Amino acid sequence: MKSRICLIFVLLAQFVSLWNLRASDETKWLGLLPQPRNITLLEGEFCFSPATQIVCPEYMSGYVAEYFRSGGRLSPAIIMRENSDLELPAEGYVLSVATEGILIEGVDRAGVLNGFHTMLQLFPDEIYSCDFDGTAQLPAMRIEDWPEYSYRGMHFDVARTFSPVGELKEFINHLARHKINHLHLHLTDDEGWRFEVLSHPRLTEVGAWRGGDSPIRAIYGAWDERYGGYYTQNELREVVAYAEQRGVSIIPEIDLPGHSLAMGKVYPEVLCPVERDNSAAAGYDRRNVLCVAREENYALLDDILRELCDVFPSEYIHVGGDEVATSYWRDCPHCRELMKEMGMRDYAELQQLFMERVSDILAKYGRKAAMWNEATNGGTLPRDVRIYGWEGIEECRSVAEAGYPTVVMPGPYFYFDMRQSPHEDGHNWAGVVTVEKCYSAANLDALGYSQKAKNHVVGFSGAFWSELYITHGDKYENYAEYQTFPRVCALAEICWLPVSMCHTEQFLERLGLHMARMDAMGISYRRAAPALPTKGITPKLTITTSLPVKQQSALDRLSAYANDFGVRAQRTCLEGDWILYTFDSPIKQVEVELTTGYRHVARGVFPVAKVEVSSDGKHYKEIAHLKNGCAKIALREPTVAIRITSLAEGNSDAYVYMQYPQIVPM
Ligand code: TNX
């Protein structure tokens, strides 16, 4: 008996998966993305004209009007409404297209919006130019659909590079169209404080700016200018409302207790009183960890979080918890004493205490805390804290296994600041993150997640960290969009569909069709891998420098073009430091790309420097200045030496990286 039931089950399961396969095969020409669960194609079609009447709930009318000019009175009509009697999971909807009209019914508000976003994809792509005024034929069909995960997220770092309100809204709009329903907004970090706090205006007056006369010195780009920006509370309320209208909830993040350099520069007293020898970094002070033992800090955080809760209605507020440099706590007499008093064994417990106190503040304002995965290392954090797992797939698995509601977003799958092919721009610490790699995270079984762990996964999130945005922005129409799309498409689909329906090949086919839609949306997405940069020609070269380098052999290898990573100098740059490239025989009719710092991110650079060339090795003439540590120069006349000279002291790091020049014939 038991085995017969089993057999029936297996056959049923096979039938269902076959049917799914067939359903998506038959409808893949629609290029829907994310693919809906169930589509049944029917006979006939619906003819849309500007006269078509559109009926929708009041709260959607403004949004709908962005796509369809109102005023149509003719039936057939498009009707959108909530129907809580539908037997569908949360956010589910039924979309029926028939000759007589289109009916979208959602189990809830989100369901209606989801149905609306699917319907838009059935229209000609021009619908996304937002003033569609033509006619359209939509094939008759019935779609019944609901999401697999309730958290379909994208993270956006506006601290390293500031994104003005308009850009932020546009990004949210693109997310909504892909049924991403959470935006995790990284509002503060070492490089800037972007959230206006009315009770402590200096946080943005001072903390929103770096470089120039600001006490916060530049870390990534914009070295010799004052750079930054912030959002007023009213602007953020406007963004929250805009997002909500589209079904996107914003989870703001104030990154604590690490990543707090900006706050620490505004209010140095919040930091542990620890002196450091910063001489190798030209005195640059990088203390960025709040003191756990300082009671006044919690009053300040209370003010900040109270105002944050007042602006953002989200159930969860993200309070960071990542990458705490615990050596500051180790060296802080007050933190040490507190640990002793409380009988704590390690810094994870100290961090836990801090995170708990911050959670208590949030609880006072009726909110729950969200944190990065390291915050769980103390072991006994309350299980209603939502954890964002970023370090790796194992870390995410273990927090989910431990019972925390977990957003899975490990770097190697979901960090869209990583490069998309081996030679492209982007971070590299989590490797190359392709669309396929991201899509493969759908299969949590294959990644070793137990049923218990899976039960605690609330969804996936992509991340866009913006350290490189500021230095790479010029090269792209929109670097944030280039880095996030189409990886967001993969993310959106694995958040939406059960793994049994996630088929990479089919997804890629539909993505091909969806690209025309993204063109109409105006997304500057990445189409294909760019041509490989060439290493260029390698004329015999000697590199010398005024900077101290540990081993001459490292410089020799660099001179031999045999080190693509670069050679590290043992201190930062001082005014007058130089790097000299001498060629055995003159080079000419070439273009030379000069790089200081890492090749993939503007750290360890000469922030302000001049470039000189010489035809005899004695007399130099200035021909360029570095920008973001780099310069491209054209050499027409025979040249035997190129010299880069620093015009400023310090680059915020305790090192400089040197690279070989990339030389290509003109
Ligand atoms: C790690 S992810 C960080 C960020 C960086 C990112 C760059 C996380 C919680 N911390 O501060 O921006 O890597 O990929």
Side-chain angles (χ1 to χ4, degrees), residues 157 160 189 259 322-323 372 390 415 417-418 427 429 465 467:
D157 170 9
R160 274 59 177 267
D189 212 302
H259 284 275
D322 61 315
E323 299 183 312
W372 295 112
W390 70 277
Y415 269 29
D417 52 329
M418 295 302 136
H427 276 297
W429 66 262
W465 297 96
E467 292 96 326

Side-chain angles (χ1 to χ4, degrees), residues 273-526:
V274 173
E275 296 292 323
R276 279 286 159 91
D277 176 9
N278 295 313
S279 47
Y284 192 87
D285 176 5
R286 293 280 285 268
R287 285 176 301 149
N288 70 345
V289 180
L290 302 185
C291 179
V292 182
R294 186 172 181 272
E295 209 41 47
E296 298 88 327
N297 283 0
Y298 301 99
L300 173 63
L301 292 175
D302 194 310
D303 288 343
I304 292 168
L305 293 173
R306 184 182 63 244
E307 293 194 33
L308 194 72
C309 291
D310 202 42
V311 172
F312 293 94
S314 65
E315 185 185 358
Y316 287 89
I317 302 287
H318 204 302
V319 286
D322 61 315
E323 299 183 312
V324 180
T326 52
S327 63
Y328 294 115
W329 288 342
R330 182 196 62 208
D331 297 342
C332 170
H334 309 300
C335 286
R336 270 213 307 271
E337 197 180 304
L338 180 64
M339 285 180 73
K340 209 166 128 201
E341 228 170 75
M342 310 272 298
M344 290 176 178
R345 287 156 307 184
D346 57 26
Y347 303 113
E349 289 184 348
L350 188 63
Q351 177 170 355
Q352 165 142 330
L353 173 70
F354 177 86
M355 301 317 290
E356 277 171 4
R357 292 209 52 182
V358 172
S359 309
D360 290 346
I361 297 174
L362 289 175
K364 214 166 75 179
Y365 301 116
R367 308 307 174 87
K368 293 183 195 154
M371 302 174 193
W372 295 112
N373 63 260
E374 297 101 305
T376 65
N377 291 347
T380 57
L381 214 56
R383 290 305 190 268
D384 65 344
V385 174
R386 185 198 271 160
I387 298 300
Y388 288 62
W390 70 277
E391 283 184 290
I393 207 76
E394 290 74 29
E395 284 83 354
C396 293
R397 192 173 58 207
S398 68
V399 292
E401 188 84 40
Y404 296 100
T406 304
V407 176
V408 173
M409 54 184 304
Y413 296 83
F414 293 106
Y415 269 29
F416 301 159
D417 52 329
M418 295 302 136
R419 48 184 67 165
Q420 312 188 56
S421 64
H423 299 283
E424 244 170 294
D425 290 333
H427 276 297
N428 57 7
W429 66 262
V432 171
V433 178
T434 59
V435 162
E436 291 88 342
K437 181 84 190 277
C438 174
Y439 200 80
S440 73
N443 196 343
L444 291 176
D445 290 315
L447 296 171
Y449 282 55
S450 66
Q451 190 54 50
K452 181 178 179 214
K454 283 193 293 183
N455 289 345
H456 289 106
V457 171
V458 296
F460 300 108
S461 177
F464 178 69
W465 297 96
S466 60
E467 292 96 326
L468 279 66
Y469 193 1
I470 183 164
T471 47
H472 291 57
D474 295 354
K475 268 172 51 187
Y476 297 80
E477 220 167 282
N478 184 323
Y479 184 67
E481 288 178 5
Y482 182 92
Q483 288 294 73
T484 51
F485 288 88
R487 291 187 279 195
V488 164
C489 301
L491 164 76
E493 184 148 305
I494 64 171
C495 286
W496 189 267
L497 280 184
V499 58
S500 62
M501 290 187 73
C502 289
H503 305 293
T504 313
E505 293 304 319
Q506 284 180 10
F507 163 74
L508 291 174
E509 248 177 279
R510 278 181 290 108
L511 179 59
L513 298 169
H514 182 63
M515 285 187 171
R517 216 176 268 138
M518 291 199 283
D519 285 327
M521 291 176 185
I523 302 178
S524 316
Y525 60 94
R526 173 188 185 268

Side-chain angles (χ1 to χ4, degrees), residues 541 543 554-563 566-567 658-660:
L541 162 77
I543 302 177
L555 267 188
D556 293 344
R557 275 173 51 75
L558 196 65
S559 299
Y561 306 91
N563 173 349
V567 167
M658 287 168 283
Q659 306 287 353
Y660 61 74

Side-chain angles (χ1 to χ4, degrees), residues 8 36 46 55 65 121 210 230 293 295 378 454 513 539 579 582 649:
I8 292 174
F46 170 73
V55 181
Q121 295 196 357
R210 68 178 188 241
Y230 68 93
E295 209 41 47
K454 283 193 293 183
L513 298 169
I579 302 167
T582 315
E649 172 178 310

